[in-house]
Amino acid sequence: MNMNPKLLSNEEYRETLYPNMVNVTENAEEVVDMWAYADQVIEDAYHSCTAWEWRVGHIYETPDAKYQHIGIPVPKDDTYLVVIANKQERNVVGHYILELGA
């Protein structure tokens, strides 16, 4: 399983973003060990920020159930570390920093 963090470009991120994404936060199955991936990004980008409560805020899935977007709030208002998993290949595609307020 590829666990080398890969920051996706806006174009790469949008290729995994479909209209009518489905909120599966309450019943999503664990496809990959997302924290093994996210912990590396958190360490590099946020120096672990131990005062912050690292947790999954939401999980959205494409209507065809190919991709999962796993959103982790970061210590910046309305900003998420989004880990994108390919459900069919059971791997992490990469991550994207989503700034909702921007």
Side-chain angles (χ1 to χ4, degrees):
M1 183 180 309
N2 178 17
M3 284 296 167
N4 293 324
K6 178 183 188 312
L7 178 61
L8 301 178
S9 68
N10 188 276
E11 183 177 312
E12 290 171 314
Y13 170 72
R14 291 192 174 281
E15 287 174 4
T16 69
L17 190 64
Y18 292 40
N20 304 314
M21 296 284 282
V22 180
N23 185 340
V24 296
T25 305
E26 296 301 317
N27 57 1
E29 63 177 290
E30 186 172 327
V31 179
V32 296
D33 183 356
M34 185 275 311
W35 284 111
Y37 181 93
D39 284 344
Q40 293 178 62
V41 177
I42 290 166
E43 174 66 32
D44 293 344
Y46 301 99
H47 309 291
S48 294
C49 195
T50 53
W52 186 254
E53 180 191 343
W54 294 102
R55 61 179 173 75
V56 172
H58 60 266
I59 302 173
Y60 283 88
E61 215 168 81
T62 56
D64 63 1
K66 181 174 182 182
Y67 295 108
Q68 267 187 358
H69 284 211
I70 305 157
I72 302 167
V74 300
K76 183 178 175 191
D77 287 349
D78 297 323
T79 303
Y80 292 84
L81 164 62
V82 180
V83 176
I84 294 98
N86 182 317
K87 285 186 67 178
Q88 295 163 350
E89 296 178 13
R90 300 187 80 78
N91 64 15
V92 174
V93 175
H95 65 280
Y96 185 77
I97 305 302
L98 179 63
E99 296 183 52
L100 297 176

